[in-house]
Amino acid sequence: MNDQSKSAKDVGVLFDVDGTLVDSTYFHTLAWWQAFRQQELDVPMALIHRHIGMGGDKLLERLLPEDSDRDFRATVERAHGSIFSTFWPAIRPFDSARALLQSCAESGLAVALASSAREQDLRVLRSILDAEPWIDCATSSADATESKPSPDLLLAALEKLHLNAADVAFVGDSVWDVKAAARLGIETIGLTCGGISAAELFEAGAVEVYSGPRALLHRLDASSIGILAHRNDSEELTSGAAPGTPTDDASR
């Protein structure tokens, strides 16, 4: 799913998806646990959960025995994907996730889903979100050479939006999200709905933390996202155009 951006906006917001907009973190945890058990590996669920949000390849590097070869890792990763797909019908968006995306878009922000999900999983998650009119572009695992905490996916999202790191904020639920964004100097808003505590997200470098999309939506105007939207409004006014009115540059 390498869709190109529909946006010509000057500022934007990037959203992680799993655990941030949809309630899927613990399904991923269970899918990895079952994939490990198929190979007679006993990895505690709590340990697996703490690595969710990291790319699957990086997760396996940390949780599989050091002598595991590439074929063995590929087998476990395929099993995780197969098992996770059985949970698709049970996955639900978090309260107000769709409204949050809509509000960001209507505030003049470009909206990108900066996800490391497999393309087939991302298609399902986008269908669950049901927010296509307010999404300018999305990334999947196919858009990055290195997975989180590498910032490759965020760079891919920025490229699709034609924006710089200074022009966006990022919303994520894991310390790996925060660390990936920090490598690019992007401010991250943390959400605890993925199961990681506010203290851990702040320690990783999050500038704000909320319980979930609904709480962020209620404070959106005062958040880092709101500050970006207001910056955009100010620049439009300075240019002599009313907010939302295309300038000569925007209309080309």
Side-chain angles (χ1 to χ4, degrees):
M1 186 173 292
N2 297 311
D3 51 341
Q4 294 301 309
S5 174
K6 306 181 291 236
S7 176
K9 298 173 182 176
D10 295 326
V11 291
V13 57
L14 317 180
F15 286 92
D16 175 59
V17 180
D18 282 299
T20 298
L21 297 173
V22 300
D23 194 2
S24 55
T25 298
Y26 291 96
F27 289 126
H28 275 296
T29 299
L30 185 55
W32 281 118
W33 182 82
Q34 290 184 349
F36 289 138
R37 289 300 303 138
Q38 286 182 4
Q39 302 300 322
E40 300 184 349
L41 295 171
D42 192 7
V43 183
M45 285 192 189
L47 182 59
I48 296 170
H49 175 258
R50 298 192 67 79
H51 290 81
I52 300 298
M54 179 179 283
D57 57 332
K58 301 286 179 64
L59 180 149
L60 291 173
E61 286 177 8
R62 296 199 177 201
L63 298 183
L64 286 180
E66 291 184 5
D67 59 354
S68 300
D69 61 27
R70 183 177 300 178
D71 289 342
F72 185 78
R73 292 183 182 186
T75 297
V76 176
E77 191 159 15
R78 283 194 300 270
H80 162 265
S82 179
I83 295 165
F84 181 71
S85 68
T86 68
F87 297 127
W88 286 347
I91 298 174
R92 296 292 181 269
F94 285 116
D95 183 16
S96 300
R98 184 173 184 266
L100 175 60
L101 297 177
Q102 180 179 357
S103 185
C104 288
E106 292 179 349
S107 296
L109 295 155
V111 174
L113 302 183
S115 172
S116 59
R118 299 179 307 160
E119 291 189 30
Q120 56 266 51
D121 290 332
L122 183 59
R123 283 193 293 269
V124 172
L125 298 179
R126 289 178 73 158
S127 176
I128 290 168
L129 280 171
D130 189 25
E132 289 305 303
W134 303 290
I135 297 170
D136 293 295
C137 68
T139 66
S140 72
S141 58
D143 290 300
T145 302
E146 289 285 332
S147 61
K148 286 185 289 187
S150 165
D152 283 16
L153 283 166
L154 300 182
L155 285 169
L158 290 174
E159 183 176 349
K160 290 186 177 188
L161 291 178
H162 307 292
L163 294 176
N164 298 314
D167 301 320
V168 301
F170 181 44
V171 183
D173 68 289
S174 74
V175 296
W176 315 113
D177 292 326
V178 182
K179 290 181 177 182
R183 293 187 183 185
L184 300 179
I186 298 174
E187 290 190 347
T188 300
I189 296 173
L191 303 182
T192 60
C193 48
I196 301 301
S197 71
E200 290 172 286
L201 293 170
F202 276 127
E203 183 178 357
V207 296
E208 305 163 35
V209 175
Y210 301 89
S211 59
R214 183 180 181 183
L216 174 55
L217 178 62
H218 286 173
R219 294 283 297 163
L220 193 62
D221 194 56
S223 72
S224 296
I225 295 172
I227 291 170
L228 276 174
H230 290 315
R231 189 186 88 182
N232 191 48
D233 289 344
S234 298
E235 289 173 353
E236 287 178 337
L237 289 170
T238 300
S239 72
T245 302
T247 64
D248 289 341
D249 287 340
S251 62
R252 281 203 291 267

